[in-house]
Amino acid sequence: MSLNLHERLSIDRSFRLLHLTPELLEVLKDPNSKLQFKAAGNDEDDGDVVLCSREKTWLLRQKNHSNTTMLMHEFTSEQETPLETTFGLPSPMSDFAGFARTTFEYETKEVSGILNVESIPIHNGSSDFPPADGRDLPVKSMDDLLASSACSEKECLLQWGQLGGCVIKGYPCILSSDFLTKALHVTLMSAMAESLNFSRLRLGETFDAVNKDIDQESNPYTIDVIKTILEKYGEKVKDDDDCWQLNQKKVAVWYGIRALKKYASQSSIPPAEFLIKWKSTFPPYAPFDIEIEMLRGWFFRPTGSSLQYLPKNTLPSDIKERFMMLFKLQSQWDMDDIVPFVEELNSKGLKIDVFLMKYARKRRVGKKVIISSR
Amino acid sequence: MPSINVSKRQLQTLLQSDQHQTSVSTPLGNMMLEIQGDLELPRQWSEDQRFTTIDKEQLVRWGLLHIDPSRNNAILFVGRKQRLLGSLVKLDTPLGLIKFNQQDGIVEMQDIFYYKVLFKSRPLPIM
Amino acid sequence: DEIRIWVRYKEGFSDAVRKNVSWSSLWS
């Protein structure tokens, strides 16, 4: 089969070639799906372009190459093309015209979408949020938040829930740590007082329980706040949009971290004493089981078994310096205690043993694995 | 933060019927041709039988492509002096053809390539 | 023949360079 090849004298530079992975092809085939190009950051050229479906995010990477690629379209020639008899080939059956050339392709790599919370205000429960007409609030809606994040809708909502994000009168905000703690405490107490089932907490019932006997004028525990508490400390019950199962471990850990901060910041505390203090911070009769191991990644042991609060955000972000500081604070670590402090810096995704061995020494003592400096 | 939806209007029938490219050109009539080198073509109109105008577009005829579908071999005659040997190659990853229309602010996926015609050997003279 | 139609062959093929994409480069 022979084809005449032509090219337009003026080439169209607006075409691009995009790698379509099997996952992307699935999205394309779904008539209800949508795909959107987005750029992270606030300026037009600030951040990298990503491609988002409703559930996933792909980073675009431009792969240049040294060949000439011509994109061509078949057309019907009005004129009879003079036969090129030089080559002794069959007469051309049709004509193609080059309309674009490219020297690169866009590769697509699936990545974790990142929610952009840079401009989202922290709300501590005060009654003056939001300001009238959302004045001075750069992000005025969840749609705005999604549009400004290099993130799919599903990933956005998941991260939003985990962060303690709340929408008050339509305006996105993040509840402060203190406000979250108060709201959680009040929710648990109210739920227990009304004998609500922690495995099936409905938003309406829970809100009613919290707001029983509260003066509505000064009440900061709006239905939006209660929803945030259920999202952050619970999991949606399958096939029921309005029902959450409380994640008891998450609640216990939240209280535990606050207890470490309160009772073990300035000096260390023996574990048995800490367990009592931790338990005392819960609402009375709260049914949560607690174990020191749940708080790994939040404490170190300066002497023997006693515990002292250590937030990750006080540690160096350079991996070598982080290990150095950790060994300065505690010369030998149980592997399970040190891993939560360093695994976020394992950017190459190495097996944890291999990663630890790059920066520390590992040895077995009985059933335990002990990590110390090289 | 800028964002724009990708329209797949042109692809819809194709995707739903599960038709896709199995030879030189796609069901929508597009072809991808790749040469290991620079292809030099005139950019100015000339009064020569190789120049034509179709639908107000000025074109220059520059080559003849011959495909043997049974063996996926291809021969490309470039101008009057060069001959290249190549083949129809299946792409490792299908490529979406996307147009970024700045004037209308529209992004449209127009086609999907599963194959390309590739010429990576040194051009031979035409005897 | 003043009309030049010609392939200037390149000995090798390279495609190692990869970089992130900016918004303006999608449209330029």
Side-chain angles (χ1 to χ4, degrees):
Chain A
M1 142 175 101
S2 295
L3 312 170
N4 281 318
L5 302 184
H6 309 249
E7 189 178 60
R8 291 186 193 170
L9 294 189
S10 75
I11 300 248
D12 189 335
R13 294 187 197 287
S14 64
F15 284 90
R16 304 283 187 270
L17 292 172
L18 181 81
H19 280 220
L20 298 176
T21 59
E23 294 75 23
L24 269 170
L25 277 169
E26 280 309 307
V27 171
L28 280 170
K29 284 178 184 164
D30 177 2
N32 296 320
S33 71
K34 71 169 190 177
L35 275 178
Q36 196 180 47
F37 283 108
K38 290 179 166 191
N42 297 316
D43 290 333
E44 290 242 340
D45 258 354
D46 212 15
D48 304 324
V49 174
V50 296
L51 183 61
C52 291
S53 65
R54 282 212 169 81
E55 300 192 352
K56 292 184 183 200
T57 305
W58 290 265
L59 177 68
L60 251 57
R61 298 272 284 154
Q62 180 169 318
K63 186 179 79 162
N64 292 343
H65 64 74
S66 54
N67 283 357
T68 295
T69 300
M70 187 182 281
L71 304 174
M72 312 186 79
H73 188 75
E74 189 169 5
F75 72 98
T76 310
S77 179
E78 284 157 9
Q79 309 163 341
E80 205 174 302
T81 312
L83 279 178
E84 286 286 1
T85 51
T86 330
F87 312 126
L89 290 171
S91 307
M93 290 166 46
S94 58
D95 294 73
F96 277 77
F99 58 87
R101 291 195 192 192
T102 72
T103 55
F104 59 85
E105 295 166 3
Y106 287 149
E107 289 184 332
T108 48
K109 182 184 170 194
E110 198 177 324
V111 293
S112 299
I114 299 173
L115 192 61
N116 178 9
V117 294
E118 242 174 52
S119 311
I120 307 293
I122 307 285
H123 176 43
N124 61 7
S126 72
S127 56
D128 57 7
F129 181 87
D133 303 324
R135 204 181 324 135
D136 302 330
L137 291 179
V139 180
K140 298 195 193 304
S141 66
M142 284 302 285
D143 283 345
D144 274 0
L145 176 63
L146 182 59
S148 66
S149 300
C151 193
S152 67
E153 194 179 329
K154 182 179 176 187
E155 290 166 302
C156 171
L157 292 174
L158 196 66
Q159 288 178 40
W160 183 245
Q162 294 310 306
L163 273 176
C166 190
V167 181
I168 298 188
K169 294 184 182 155
Y171 294 97
C173 61
I174 294 175
L175 303 188
S176 70
S177 207
D178 282 344
F179 187 34
L180 278 169
T181 302
K182 285 182 200 149
L184 174 63
H185 200 79
V186 160
T187 303
L188 292 173
M189 286 207 300
S190 309
M192 288 193 298
E194 298 300 310
S195 305
L196 297 184
N197 180 355
F198 277 170
S199 300
R200 295 192 70 84
L201 288 170
R202 294 200 169 280
L203 177 57
E205 277 173 359
T206 312
F207 173 68
D208 288 342
V210 169
N211 282 273
K212 203 174 174 180
D213 307 325
I214 288 191
D215 169 23
Q216 285 309 310
E217 276 216 27
S218 54
N219 174 28
Y221 306 116
T222 61
I223 197 156
D224 305 305
V225 169
I226 302 303
K227 187 176 179 195
T228 296
I229 294 299
L230 293 174
E231 283 284 345
K232 185 167 169 69
Y233 300 102
E235 273 118 28
K236 272 239 174 87
V237 167
K238 204 177 166 188
D239 300 329
D240 192 338
D241 237 8
D242 182 50
C243 199
W244 284 262
Q245 175 173 11
L246 194 70
N247 183 327
Q248 304 211 4
K249 186 175 175 189
K250 254 192 197 170
V251 172
V253 168
W254 183 264
Y255 275 90
I257 295 166
R258 308 283 294 185
L260 274 174
K261 201 172 172 186
K262 186 172 178 183
Y263 299 109
S265 281
Q266 304 306 321
S267 57
S268 62
I269 181 172
E273 192 184 328
F274 175 71
L275 282 169
I276 296 170
K277 296 268 196 226
W278 182 2
K279 192 80 182 173
S280 75
T281 63
F282 288 123
Y285 311 113
F288 306 122
D289 296 325
I290 56 173
E291 280 175 349
I292 300 290
E293 289 70 31
M294 283 167 141
L295 300 180
R296 281 183 168 136
W298 292 94
F299 65 86
F300 70 106
R301 300 177 197 265
T303 54
S305 61
S306 67
L307 315 172
Q308 192 162 344
Y309 179 53
L310 179 60
K312 275 195 274 292
N313 61 11
T314 59
L315 296 173
S317 48
D318 172 77
I319 185 62
K320 282 191 184 140
E321 286 176 32
R322 184 172 288 201
F323 270 100
M324 232 162 60
M325 170 154 302
L326 289 170
F327 291 130
K328 203 167 159 189
L329 292 168
Q330 181 181 328
S331 58
Q332 291 185 109
W333 287 75
D334 192 307
M335 182 162 135
D336 292 333
D337 282 350
I338 200 174
V339 163
F341 282 110
V342 295
E343 62 190 348
E344 65 181 348
L345 297 182
N346 180 12
S347 53
K348 293 189 178 148
L350 300 173
K351 277 183 86 168
I352 199 64
D353 284 54
V354 173
F355 176 66
L356 286 171
M357 297 286 276
K358 285 179 76 164
Y359 304 100
R361 207 159 61 98
K362 185 180 113 174
R363 61 192 168 92
R364 250 181 211 290
V365 175
K367 285 186 182 167
K368 290 190 171 203
V369 178
I370 304 295
I371 308 294
S372 54
S373 66
R374 281 179 167 275
Chain B
M1 175 177 176
S3 66
I4 190 155
N5 286 340
V6 180
S7 161
K8 34 177 182 154
R9 193 184 44 90
Q10 281 198 33
L11 279 186
Q12 221 45 62
T13 344
L14 201 69
L15 292 169
Q16 254 126 59
S17 66
D18 217 14
Q19 272 188 297
H20 59 77
Q21 180 184 13
T22 51
S23 65
V24 163
S25 62
T26 70
L28 294 175
N30 290 309
M31 172 167 70
M32 188 176 158
L33 185 88
E34 191 172 313
I35 298 171
Q36 187 170 309
D38 294 323
L39 175 61
E40 290 177 21
L41 298 181
R43 290 283 159 227
Q44 304 282 348
W45 176 266
S46 183
E47 290 302 329
D48 177 284
Q49 61 174 355
R50 286 169 287 187
F51 289 77
T52 53
T53 306
I54 304 282
D55 293 335
K56 297 178 188 171
E57 279 286 349
Q58 293 179 325
L59 309 178
V60 57
R61 178 165 51 83
W62 60 271
L64 182 75
L65 176 67
H66 178 73
I67 305 267
D68 176 355
S70 61
R71 283 187 286 187
N72 283 343
N73 287 343
I75 307 174
L76 177 66
F77 296 93
V78 177
R80 292 178 174 149
K81 299 199 175 154
Q82 291 178 309
R83 177 170 58 108
L84 289 82
L85 303 178
S87 55
L88 185 66
V89 164
K90 187 167 185 193
L91 300 175
D92 291 335
T93 311
L95 291 174
L97 175 67
I98 304 193
K99 183 170 169 73
F100 286 81
N101 186 332
Q102 187 159 36
Q103 213 171 347
D104 302 337
I106 293 175
V107 174
E108 183 156 44
M109 190 165 309
Q110 295 192 350
D111 206 345
I112 301 175
F113 291 112
Y114 286 82
Y115 290 85
K116 66 182 176 188
V117 191
L118 175 63
F119 295 92
K120 37 185 198 180
S121 317
R122 181 177 283 283
L124 304 165
I126 294 172
M127 299 301 186
Chain C
D1 186 0
E2 290 163 2
I3 294 161
R4 187 166 172 78
I5 294 175
W6 188 257
V7 165
R8 192 153 15 108
Y9 182 66
K10 288 182 183 172
E11 277 301 336
F13 170 68
S14 76
D15 68 344
V17 176
R18 281 164 177 80
K19 52 181 183 169
N20 288 356
V21 178
S22 67
W23 189 256
S24 60
S25 70
L26 289 179
W27 304 94
S28 59

